[in-house]
Amino acid sequence: MLTRKIQYFYNIPILIMNKFSVDLTNCDKEPIHIPGKVQSHGFLVAVDKASLNISYVSENIIDFLKVPAKDLLEKPVSTLSEYINQQEINFNIADLIKLGIVKKNFNGISPYPLEIIGNPYYLIINSAQDDWLLEFEPATLQYDIQSLVGKSASAMLQGKNVNALLRGAAKEVKNLINYDRIMIYKFLDDGHGEVVAEEKEEHLEPFFGLHYPASDIPKQARELYKLNLTRLIADVNTVDSPILTYKENQPLDLTNGGLRAVSPIHIQYLKNMGVYSSFSISLIANGELWGLIACHNYSPKFIDFKAREGSKLIGEILSSALEYRQAEENSETVERFK
């Protein structure tokens, strides 16, 4: 039998069905990795791996570079350098991609600092099946994230048991990104989840201890959480930008993309909760999705790429600590029974 706490979360998808007649029983079949759109706080260019020509462009590139998307399609990626100021003279984006190919990853390159019409931006490069994903987003960080992450990790690991560790993690993530509410969800054996730790603004209603059904996070979303460890929705009320291409019936796979647009079902879910911005960090233990650090803000909020990466590092440290601490507590329990 469902507890009253589980029923609380069921009210949200019921509201969606009443207003939009959305069949949530099929939401686990929604192709969320190929939405055909990106969030509008940045823009995307995809480059064919074989030719290094531009194969996909988000329509909103005109808002940033003042050039229509269709004018860039099938052009060499070096064409972008005409519209972007780079720190190194005679260095273009094609050279940057080639450098990443030689190194066999872009970890040491992304985020690459650029200037667009006098404003600082980052270029983040990831791989899709046949294309390189080039995502451009604002660089807004105003503090030393590396120092703060180190202090946060140290403070979090002071927790002597799993519950203390989780409480510390929620507190430190809130210090890093300053969202209104930070929750840690744990997935239980039957797939549904529980809020097992929370850090929030004082005026907000507590969600600690609430349960939610497994259907709230469908199977394909859980698989993406295992592949892409952070997920930002900067503003639920902005209009996503369509991706244009000359390739017919070949949607761009955005599994590894940070700008990937969000399912309309999930956007309405957040709106029904009064949430304007959300950010999640995956917790992986023993190779499986243990849970999520789920962050909600009640006004729009963009998180700089470096702050997201710092938060991801906190999640990875927490994941490793969870494996160790949980095994330790299980051993202690077995000894007590003996």
Side-chain angles (χ1 to χ4, degrees):
M1 178 181 293
L2 291 174
T3 67
R4 187 173 62 85
K5 290 182 177 180
I6 294 179
Q7 187 63 39
Y8 175 92
F9 277 93
Y10 263 120
N11 288 340
I12 296 169
I14 288 171
L15 283 173
I16 298 173
M17 286 190 284
N18 288 343
K19 188 172 182 180
F20 292 97
S21 298
V22 175
D23 182 3
L24 292 184
T25 62
N26 292 323
C27 67
D28 63 346
K29 297 180 177 63
E30 188 179 10
I32 58 177
H33 63 298
I34 50 170
K37 297 179 180 180
V38 296
Q39 297 182 62
S40 58
H41 58 266
F43 65 94
L44 174 140
V45 175
V47 179
D48 183 85
K49 288 181 178 179
S51 66
L52 291 189
N53 289 340
I54 296 171
S55 48
Y56 299 82
V57 187
S58 63
E59 197 173 68
N60 66 338
I61 195 171
I62 194 169
D63 299 330
F64 297 88
L65 301 188
K66 309 306 178 187
V67 57
K70 60 182 178 60
D71 290 356
L72 294 172
L73 287 172
E74 298 189 80
K75 299 286 181 63
V77 67
S78 56
T79 305
L80 287 176
S81 302
E82 300 174 15
Y83 304 94
I84 296 172
N85 296 321
Q86 295 173 302
Q87 292 181 348
E88 298 182 33
I89 299 174
N90 299 324
F91 190 83
N92 63 47
I93 293 177
D95 294 330
L96 197 64
I97 294 173
K98 290 173 184 177
L99 180 61
I101 294 171
V102 169
K103 291 186 173 184
K104 298 184 178 180
N105 69 69
F106 292 91
N107 295 337
I109 297 173
S110 298
Y112 188 80
L114 303 166
E115 191 175 283
I116 299 176
I117 313 181
N119 297 312
Y121 277 77
Y122 287 137
L123 164 59
I124 300 101
I125 305 177
N126 285 296
S127 178
Q129 185 172 357
D130 299 316
D131 304 272
W132 300 113
L133 302 180
L134 278 58
E135 297 181 292
F136 299 79
E137 60 177 58
T140 61
L141 199 63
Q142 301 294 323
Y143 54 88
D144 182 0
I145 187 66
Q146 289 184 330
S147 174
L148 192 55
V149 167
K151 292 176 182 177
S152 293
S154 178
M156 175 184 70
L157 292 173
Q158 297 302 310
K160 301 301 181 184
N161 55 49
V162 171
N163 287 336
L165 189 67
L166 295 174
R167 289 195 300 269
K171 181 178 180 180
E172 296 308 322
V173 170
K174 193 172 193 319
N175 289 339
L176 278 178
I177 64 171
N178 197 31
Y179 261 45
D180 293 328
R181 186 195 302 275
I182 311 295
M183 297 170 286
I184 298 184
Y185 290 162
K186 179 181 180 181
F187 294 118
L188 304 181
D189 291 341
D190 64 356
H192 92 273
E194 179 184 359
V195 181
V196 293
E198 181 180 47
E199 190 74 18
K200 66 179 184 64
E201 295 298 313
E202 289 185 3
H203 66 278
L204 294 175
E205 175 189 1
F207 285 177
F208 176 73
L210 291 179
H211 292 238
Y212 64 95
S215 58
D216 278 12
I217 304 178
K219 294 176 184 177
Q220 80 277 33
R222 297 189 191 214
E223 289 303 311
L224 283 181
Y225 280 128
K226 291 168 66 175
L227 298 171
N228 204 331
L229 299 183
T230 62
R231 178 69 163 136
L232 171 67
I233 303 171
D235 185 351
V236 299
N237 290 312
T238 57
V239 178
D240 295 329
S241 177
I243 297 172
L244 305 184
T245 184
Y246 58 86
K247 298 181 178 181
E248 292 186 12
N249 302 316
Q250 295 184 48
L252 180 63
D253 186 347
L254 294 178
T255 295
N256 296 322
L259 288 174
R260 175 167 48 87
V262 187
S263 159
I265 295 174
H266 187 61
I267 289 293
Q268 190 60 43
Y269 183 105
L270 293 174
K271 287 181 177 180
N272 288 346
M273 296 179 73
V275 173
Y276 280 75
S277 178
S278 80
F279 178 58
S280 63
I281 308 161
S282 303
L283 298 175
I284 310 292
N286 299 310
E288 295 299 326
L289 188 63
W290 183 95
L292 298 171
I293 303 176
C295 315
H296 287 172
N297 210 61
Y298 295 91
S299 60
K301 190 176 181 69
F302 171 73
I303 306 174
D304 181 279
F305 178 82
K306 288 188 175 181
R308 300 200 305 270
E309 288 294 286
S311 301
K312 181 170 76 172
L313 180 57
I314 292 294
E316 289 172 333
I317 294 170
L318 175 58
S319 294
S320 296
L322 280 171
E323 291 183 2
Y324 174 76
R325 295 283 168 84
Q326 191 64 65
E328 201 174 50
E329 289 188 12
N330 289 345
S331 296
E332 290 174 359
T333 301
V334 169
E335 286 302 312
R336 284 199 300 272
F337 275 111
K338 284 182 179 179

